[in-house]
PDB file of all heavy atoms in Angstrom:
ATOM      1  N   ILE A1527     105.849  89.448 111.105  1.00 98.00           N
ATOM      2  CA  ILE A1527     105.327  88.365 111.947  1.00 98.00           C
ATOM      3  C   ILE A1527     105.688  88.543 113.399  1.00 98.00           C
ATOM      4  O   ILE A1527     104.852  88.328 114.294  1.00 98.00           O
ATOM      5  CB  ILE A1527     105.711  87.018 111.358  1.00 98.00           C
ATOM      6  CG1 ILE A1527     104.972  86.843 110.051  1.00 98.00           C
ATOM      7  CG2 ILE A1527     105.414  85.858 112.306  1.00 98.00           C
ATOM      8  CD1 ILE A1527     105.201  85.566 109.301  1.00 98.00           C
ATOM      9  N   SER A1528     106.857  89.036 113.644  1.00 97.00           N
ATOM     10  CA  SER A1528     107.216  89.225 115.067  1.00 97.00           C
ATOM     11  C   SER A1528     106.366  90.310 115.690  1.00 97.00           C
ATOM     12  O   SER A1528     105.947  90.211 116.848  1.00 97.00           O
ATOM     13  CB  SER A1528     108.731  89.478 115.173  1.00 97.00           C
ATOM     14  OG  SER A1528     109.021  90.685 115.767  1.00 97.00           O
ATOM     15  N   ASN A1529     106.027  91.375 114.934  1.00 97.00           N
ATOM     16  CA  ASN A1529     105.125  92.400 115.484  1.00 97.00           C
ATOM     17  C   ASN A1529     103.724  91.825 115.754  1.00 97.00           C
ATOM     18  O   ASN A1529     103.088  92.128 116.786  1.00 97.00           O
ATOM     19  CB  ASN A1529     104.998  93.567 114.499  1.00 97.00           C
ATOM     20  CG  ASN A1529     106.301  94.289 114.302  1.00 97.00           C
ATOM     21  OD1 ASN A1529     107.219  94.132 115.112  1.00 97.00           O
ATOM     22  ND2 ASN A1529     106.426  95.065 113.240  1.00 97.00           N
ATOM     23  N   LEU A1530     103.244  90.993 114.825  1.00 98.00           N
ATOM     24  CA  LEU A1530     101.932  90.382 115.008  1.00 98.00           C
ATOM     25  C   LEU A1530     101.940  89.439 116.217  1.00 98.00           C
ATOM     26  O   LEU A1530     100.953  89.438 116.990  1.00 98.00           O
ATOM     27  CB  LEU A1530     101.537  89.643 113.734  1.00 98.00           C
ATOM     28  CG  LEU A1530     100.250  88.810 113.780  1.00 98.00           C
ATOM     29  CD1 LEU A1530      99.036  89.656 114.184  1.00 98.00           C
ATOM     30  CD2 LEU A1530      99.958  88.141 112.432  1.00 98.00           C
ATOM     31  N   LEU A1531     103.021  88.680 116.369  1.00 98.00           N
ATOM     32  CA  LEU A1531     103.095  87.791 117.499  1.00 98.00           C
ATOM     33  C   LEU A1531     103.002  88.489 118.848  1.00 98.00           C
ATOM     34  O   LEU A1531     102.463  87.985 119.806  1.00 98.00           O
ATOM     35  CB  LEU A1531     104.391  86.941 117.432  1.00 98.00           C
ATOM     36  CG  LEU A1531     104.301  85.761 116.480  1.00 98.00           C
ATOM     37  CD1 LEU A1531     105.682  85.137 116.216  1.00 98.00           C
ATOM     38  CD2 LEU A1531     103.351  84.662 117.008  1.00 98.00           C
ATOM     39  N   GLN A1532     103.520  89.736 118.887  1.00 97.00           N
ATOM     40  CA  GLN A1532     103.431  90.486 120.122  1.00 97.00           C
ATOM     41  C   GLN A1532     101.973  90.748 120.520  1.00 97.00           C
ATOM     42  O   GLN A1532     101.570  90.645 121.677  1.00 97.00           O
ATOM     43  CB  GLN A1532     104.150  91.828 119.965  1.00 97.00           C
ATOM     44  CG  GLN A1532     105.632  91.684 120.064  1.00 97.00           C
ATOM     45  CD  GLN A1532     106.337  93.060 119.985  1.00 97.00           C
ATOM     46  OE1 GLN A1532     105.781  94.051 120.419  1.00 97.00           O
ATOM     47  NE2 GLN A1532     107.499  93.082 119.397  1.00 97.00           N
ATOM     48  N   SER A1533     101.159  91.132 119.530  1.00 98.00           N
ATOM     49  CA  SER A1533      99.749  91.363 119.814  1.00 98.00           C
ATOM     50  C   SER A1533      99.080  90.007 120.219  1.00 98.00           C
ATOM     51  O   SER A1533      98.267  90.002 121.168  1.00 98.00           O
ATOM     52  CB  SER A1533      98.994  91.841 118.565  1.00 98.00           C
ATOM     53  OG  SER A1533      99.517  93.119 118.187  1.00 98.00           O
ATOM     54  N   CYS A1534      99.417  88.938 119.519  1.00 98.00           N
ATOM     55  CA  CYS A1534      98.801  87.649 119.822  1.00 98.00           C
ATOM     56  C   CYS A1534      99.128  87.252 121.295  1.00 98.00           C
ATOM     57  O   CYS A1534      98.264  86.773 122.020  1.00 98.00           O
ATOM     58  CB  CYS A1534      99.318  86.562 118.891  1.00 98.00           C
ATOM     59  SG  CYS A1534      98.824  86.824 117.179  1.00 98.00           S
ATOM     60  N   LYS A1535     100.364  87.512 121.643  1.00 98.00           N
ATOM     61  CA  LYS A1535     100.797  87.153 122.999  1.00 98.00           C
ATOM     62  C   LYS A1535     100.012  87.968 124.032  1.00 98.00           C
ATOM     63  O   LYS A1535      99.527  87.445 125.019  1.00 98.00           O
ATOM     64  CB  LYS A1535     102.305  87.410 123.138  1.00 98.00           C
ATOM     65  CG  LYS A1535     103.000  86.487 124.041  1.00 98.00           C
ATOM     66  CD  LYS A1535     104.510  86.631 123.924  1.00 98.00           C
ATOM     67  CE  LYS A1535     105.115  86.410 125.295  1.00 98.00           C
ATOM     68  NZ  LYS A1535     106.466  86.881 125.391  1.00 98.00           N
ATOM     69  N   ALA A1536      99.900  89.272 123.740  1.00 98.00           N
ATOM     70  CA  ALA A1536      99.213  90.131 124.704  1.00 98.00           C
ATOM     71  C   ALA A1536      97.742  89.721 124.894  1.00 98.00           C
ATOM     72  O   ALA A1536      97.152  89.922 125.944  1.00 98.00           O
ATOM     73  CB  ALA A1536      99.289  91.581 124.242  1.00 98.00           C
ATOM     74  N   CYS A1537      97.128  89.169 123.813  1.00 98.00           N
ATOM     75  CA  CYS A1537      95.711  88.841 123.887  1.00 98.00           C
ATOM     76  C   CYS A1537      95.477  87.376 124.238  1.00 98.00           C
ATOM     77  O   CYS A1537      94.340  86.963 124.540  1.00 98.00           O
ATOM     78  CB  CYS A1537      95.036  89.136 122.547  1.00 98.00           C
ATOM     79  SG  CYS A1537      95.140  90.830 122.059  1.00 98.00           S
ATOM     80  N   GLY A1538      96.519  86.525 124.097  1.00 98.00           N
ATOM     81  CA  GLY A1538      96.378  85.113 124.364  1.00 98.00           C
ATOM     82  C   GLY A1538      95.660  84.346 123.257  1.00 98.00           C
ATOM     83  O   GLY A1538      94.963  83.392 123.509  1.00 98.00           O
ATOM     84  N   ALA A1539      95.794  84.791 122.009  1.00 98.00           N
ATOM     85  CA  ALA A1539      95.176  84.085 120.879  1.00 98.00           C
ATOM     86  C   ALA A1539      95.865  84.432 119.556  1.00 98.00           C
ATOM     87  O   ALA A1539      96.364  85.564 119.438  1.00 98.00           O
ATOM     88  CB  ALA A1539      93.705  84.406 120.785  1.00 98.00           C
ATOM     89  N   TYR A1540      95.851  83.486 118.627  1.00 98.00           N
ATOM     90  CA  TYR A1540      96.359  83.803 117.280  1.00 98.00           C
ATOM     91  C   TYR A1540      95.231  84.316 116.435  1.00 98.00           C
ATOM     92  O   TYR A1540      94.065  84.004 116.719  1.00 98.00           O
ATOM     93  CB  TYR A1540      96.917  82.553 116.615  1.00 98.00           C
ATOM     94  CG  TYR A1540      98.191  82.054 117.291  1.00 98.00           C
ATOM     95  CD1 TYR A1540      98.200  80.855 118.010  1.00 98.00           C
ATOM     96  CD2 TYR A1540      99.369  82.799 117.211  1.00 98.00           C
ATOM     97  CE1 TYR A1540      99.374  80.429 118.632  1.00 98.00           C
ATOM     98  CE2 TYR A1540     100.516  82.351 117.813  1.00 98.00           C
ATOM     99  CZ  TYR A1540     100.523  81.180 118.518  1.00 98.00           C
ATOM    100  OH  TYR A1540     101.656  80.745 119.158  1.00 98.00           O
ATOM    101  N   VAL A1541      95.562  85.071 115.421  1.00 98.00           N
ATOM    102  CA  VAL A1541      94.498  85.566 114.489  1.00 98.00           C
ATOM    103  C   VAL A1541      94.779  84.941 113.111  1.00 98.00           C
ATOM    104  O   VAL A1541      95.937  84.689 112.792  1.00 98.00           O
ATOM    105  CB  VAL A1541      94.493  87.117 114.368  1.00 98.00           C
ATOM    106  CG1 VAL A1541      94.228  87.759 115.680  1.00 98.00           C
ATOM    107  CG2 VAL A1541      95.770  87.633 113.769  1.00 98.00           C
ATOM    108  N   PRO A1542      93.724  84.746 112.310  1.00 98.00           N
ATOM    109  CA  PRO A1542      93.983  84.300 110.948  1.00 98.00           C
ATOM    110  C   PRO A1542      94.808  85.351 110.242  1.00 98.00           C
ATOM    111  O   PRO A1542      94.559  86.551 110.390  1.00 98.00           O
ATOM    112  CB  PRO A1542      92.556  84.268 110.319  1.00 98.00           C
ATOM    113  CG  PRO A1542      91.595  84.252 111.492  1.00 98.00           C
ATOM    114  CD  PRO A1542      92.306  84.924 112.632  1.00 98.00           C
ATOM    115  N   LEU A1543      95.812  84.880 109.506  1.00 98.00           N
ATOM    116  CA  LEU A1543      96.695  85.824 108.759  1.00 98.00           C
ATOM    117  C   LEU A1543      96.581  85.500 107.279  1.00 98.00           C
ATOM    118  O   LEU A1543      96.986  84.433 106.832  1.00 98.00           O
ATOM    119  CB  LEU A1543      98.139  85.655 109.265  1.00 98.00           C
ATOM    120  CG  LEU A1543      99.205  86.367 108.451  1.00 98.00           C
ATOM    121  CD1 LEU A1543      98.994  87.873 108.388  1.00 98.00           C
ATOM    122  CD2 LEU A1543     100.608  86.064 109.026  1.00 98.00           C
ATOM    123  N   PHE A1544      95.976  86.413 106.534  1.00 98.00           N
ATOM    124  CA  PHE A1544      95.843  86.251 105.085  1.00 98.00           C
ATOM    125  C   PHE A1544      96.969  87.035 104.414  1.00 98.00           C
ATOM    126  O   PHE A1544      97.160  88.199 104.707  1.00 98.00           O
ATOM    127  CB  PHE A1544      94.498  86.799 104.582  1.00 98.00           C
ATOM    128  CG  PHE A1544      93.335  86.128 105.250  1.00 98.00           C
ATOM    129  CD1 PHE A1544      92.437  86.860 106.029  1.00 98.00           C
ATOM    130  CD2 PHE A1544      93.112  84.753 105.123  1.00 98.00           C
ATOM    131  CE1 PHE A1544      91.357  86.246 106.665  1.00 98.00           C
ATOM    132  CE2 PHE A1544      92.028  84.143 105.756  1.00 98.00           C
ATOM    133  CZ  PHE A1544      91.169  84.865 106.507  1.00 98.00           C
ATOM    134  N   ILE A1545      97.700  86.384 103.546  1.00 98.00           N
ATOM    135  CA  ILE A1545      98.823  87.070 102.883  1.00 98.00           C
ATOM    136  C   ILE A1545      98.512  87.194 101.400  1.00 98.00           C
ATOM    137  O   ILE A1545      98.314  86.183 100.692  1.00 98.00           O
ATOM    138  CB  ILE A1545     100.140  86.325 103.080  1.00 98.00           C
ATOM    139  CG1 ILE A1545     100.442  86.155 104.593  1.00 98.00           C
ATOM    140  CG2 ILE A1545     101.290  87.055 102.367  1.00 98.00           C
ATOM    141  CD1 ILE A1545     101.688  85.428 104.966  1.00 98.00           C
ATOM    142  N   MET A1546      98.361  88.454 100.926  1.00 98.00           N
ATOM    143  CA  MET A1546      98.057  88.632  99.515  1.00 98.00           C
ATOM    144  C   MET A1546      99.357  88.706  98.706  1.00 98.00           C
ATOM    145  O   MET A1546     100.260  89.468  98.985  1.00 98.00           O
ATOM    146  CB  MET A1546      97.256  89.934  99.291  1.00 98.00           C
ATOM    147  CG  MET A1546      96.885  90.109  97.821  1.00 98.00           C
ATOM    148  SD  MET A1546      95.612  91.282  97.531  1.00 98.00           S
ATOM    149  CE  MET A1546      96.586  92.808  97.408  1.00 98.00           C
ATOM    150  N   THR A1547      99.444  87.819  97.730  1.00 97.00           N
ATOM    151  CA  THR A1547     100.585  87.793  96.813  1.00 97.00           C
ATOM    152  C   THR A1547     100.094  88.104  95.417  1.00 97.00           C
ATOM    153  O   THR A1547      98.902  88.366  95.224  1.00 97.00           O
ATOM    154  CB  THR A1547     101.225  86.389  96.798  1.00 97.00           C
ATOM    155  OG1 THR A1547     100.218  85.463  96.341  1.00 97.00           O
ATOM    156  CG2 THR A1547     101.692  85.967  98.198  1.00 97.00           C
ATOM    157  N   SER A1548     101.000  88.085  94.461  1.00 94.00           N
ATOM    158  CA  SER A1548     100.558  88.313  93.069  1.00 94.00           C
ATOM    159  C   SER A1548     100.991  87.061  92.262  1.00 94.00           C
ATOM    160  O   SER A1548     101.793  86.255  92.741  1.00 94.00           O
ATOM    161  CB  SER A1548     101.214  89.528  92.488  1.00 94.00           C
ATOM    162  OG  SER A1548     102.553  89.286  92.228  1.00 94.00           O
ATOM    163  N   GLU A1549     100.506  86.989  91.053  1.00 90.00           N
ATOM    164  CA  GLU A1549     100.868  85.900  90.167  1.00 90.00           C
ATOM    165  C   GLU A1549     102.410  85.791  90.104  1.00 90.00           C
ATOM    166  O   GLU A1549     102.948  84.691  90.091  1.00 90.00           O
ATOM    167  CB  GLU A1549     100.334  86.263  88.758  1.00 90.00           C
ATOM    168  CG  GLU A1549     100.109  85.106  87.819  1.00 90.00           C
ATOM    169  CD  GLU A1549      99.096  84.114  88.378  1.00 90.00           C
ATOM    170  OE1 GLU A1549      97.935  84.484  88.607  1.00 90.00           O
ATOM    171  OE2 GLU A1549      99.530  82.979  88.578  1.00 90.00           O
ATOM    172  N   LYS A1550     103.042  86.957  90.103  1.00 88.00           N
ATOM    173  CA  LYS A1550     104.521  86.963  89.952  1.00 88.00           C
ATOM    174  C   LYS A1550     105.260  86.495  91.189  1.00 88.00           C
ATOM    175  O   LYS A1550     106.235  85.766  91.104  1.00 88.00           O
ATOM    176  CB  LYS A1550     104.999  88.410  89.657  1.00 88.00           C
ATOM    177  CG  LYS A1550     104.975  88.739  88.184  1.00 88.00           C
ATOM    178  CD  LYS A1550     106.051  89.746  87.838  1.00 88.00           C
ATOM    179  CE  LYS A1550     106.246  89.761  86.336  1.00 88.00           C
ATOM    180  NZ  LYS A1550     105.504  90.810  85.648  1.00 88.00           N
ATOM    181  N   ASN A1551     104.828  86.981  92.373  1.00 94.00           N
ATOM    182  CA  ASN A1551     105.671  86.680  93.536  1.00 94.00           C
ATOM    183  C   ASN A1551     105.111  85.591  94.471  1.00 94.00           C
ATOM    184  O   ASN A1551     105.694  85.325  95.514  1.00 94.00           O
ATOM    185  CB  ASN A1551     105.982  87.980  94.326  1.00 94.00           C
ATOM    186  CG  ASN A1551     104.764  88.534  95.073  1.00 94.00           C
ATOM    187  OD1 ASN A1551     103.752  87.840  95.239  1.00 94.00           O
ATOM    188  ND2 ASN A1551     104.848  89.771  95.543  1.00 94.00           N
ATOM    189  N   ASP A1552     103.999  84.967  94.081  1.00 96.00           N
ATOM    190  CA  ASP A1552     103.411  83.968  94.944  1.00 96.00           C
ATOM    191  C   ASP A1552     104.328  82.789  95.251  1.00 96.00           C
ATOM    192  O   ASP A1552     104.556  82.482  96.446  1.00 96.00           O
ATOM    193  CB  ASP A1552     102.079  83.482  94.388  1.00 96.00           C
ATOM    194  CG  ASP A1552     101.376  82.543  95.323  1.00 96.00           C
ATOM    195  OD1 ASP A1552     100.830  83.016  96.321  1.00 96.00           O
ATOM    196  OD2 ASP A1552     101.455  81.327  95.079  1.00 96.00           O
ATOM    197  N   PRO A1553     104.914  82.132  94.222  1.00 96.00           N
ATOM    198  CA  PRO A1553     105.768  80.977  94.545  1.00 96.00           C
ATOM    199  C   PRO A1553     106.936  81.375  95.430  1.00 96.00           C
ATOM    200  O   PRO A1553     107.234  80.688  96.419  1.00 96.00           O
ATOM    201  CB  PRO A1553     106.266  80.495  93.167  1.00 96.00           C
ATOM    202  CG  PRO A1553     105.351  81.118  92.149  1.00 96.00           C
ATOM    203  CD  PRO A1553     104.811  82.363  92.776  1.00 96.00           C
ATOM    204  N   GLY A1554     107.562  82.500  95.111  1.00 96.00           N
ATOM    205  CA  GLY A1554     108.741  82.950  95.889  1.00 96.00           C
ATOM    206  C   GLY A1554     108.361  83.245  97.341  1.00 96.00           C
ATOM    207  O   GLY A1554     109.058  82.886  98.278  1.00 96.00           O
TER     208      GLY A1554
END
Side-chain angles (χ1 to χ4, degrees):
I1527 290 180
S1528 121
N1529 296 342
L1530 173 57
L1531 279 168
Q1532 283 183 32
S1533 297
C1534 295
K1535 212 169 146 197
C1537 301
Y1540 292 111
V1541 299
L1543 169 60
F1544 302 118
I1545 303 180
M1546 183 163 87
T1547 61
S1548 74
E1549 203 61 60
K1550 272 211 165 96
N1551 72 14
D1552 185 75

